[in-house]
Amino acid sequence: MFAKDPDCPKGEWVTDVANVDEKYRAGVKQFAEYDCHLTAGETVPHRVAQAIYITFTDTKAANNYADNELAMYPSLMSYTTVVVVGAGLKSVNARQTLRDISKACVCGSVS
């Protein structure tokens, strides 16, 4: 989906939890973000973290992260998991994509 967008010709999933703000790291159980690249190894600076998938150890930590870090972005919340998709890509409708993910997994709610 992202590779079809002109601002994201290539991409990769990065699982380094160090990319999460330090104040939330202790509560992170699983993390992945999708970064856009022009070529292999050359990220598009304004298109890093086009998708974020984080599972926290508890719902309080997930809600805290979503409320404080993602308040300006559409997100999918499902218990301890937070998903954000495609902030700023021309051809990606973030809210609709999150609704589609919610329907597919039969989980969560989109805000």
Side-chain angles (χ1 to χ4, degrees):
M1 170 181 73
F2 297 125
K4 293 176 185 174
D5 194 281
D7 282 340
C8 194
K10 294 179 183 278
E12 83 177 310
W13 284 99
V14 177
T15 59
D16 186 357
V17 75
N19 290 350
V20 177
D21 191 308
E22 187 176 351
K23 62 186 169 188
Y24 302 106
R25 260 184 241 152
V28 174
K29 189 174 176 181
Q30 184 178 13
F31 169 80
E33 74 178 21
Y34 188 84
D35 294 342
C36 294
H37 295 265
L38 295 173
T39 60
E42 182 185 0
T43 60
V44 180
H46 61 286
R47 296 295 178 243
V48 173
Q50 282 305 299
I52 301 170
Y53 175 93
I54 304 178
T55 299
F56 289 90
T57 54
D58 59 66
T59 56
K60 183 179 178 184
N63 287 326
N64 187 30
Y65 179 80
D67 290 346
N68 295 312
E69 296 299 311
L70 305 175
M72 296 178 60
Y73 302 100
S75 59
L76 170 65
M77 291 285 304
S78 181
Y79 303 105
T80 59
T81 300
V82 180
V83 179
V84 179
V85 173
L89 292 178
K90 296 172 188 158
S91 66
V92 176
N93 181 327
R95 194 169 300 283
Q96 185 58 52
T97 300
L98 291 169
R99 286 185 191 119
D100 293 344
I101 292 169
S102 179
K103 285 178 190 174
C105 70
V106 190
C107 65
S109 61
V110 177
S111 64

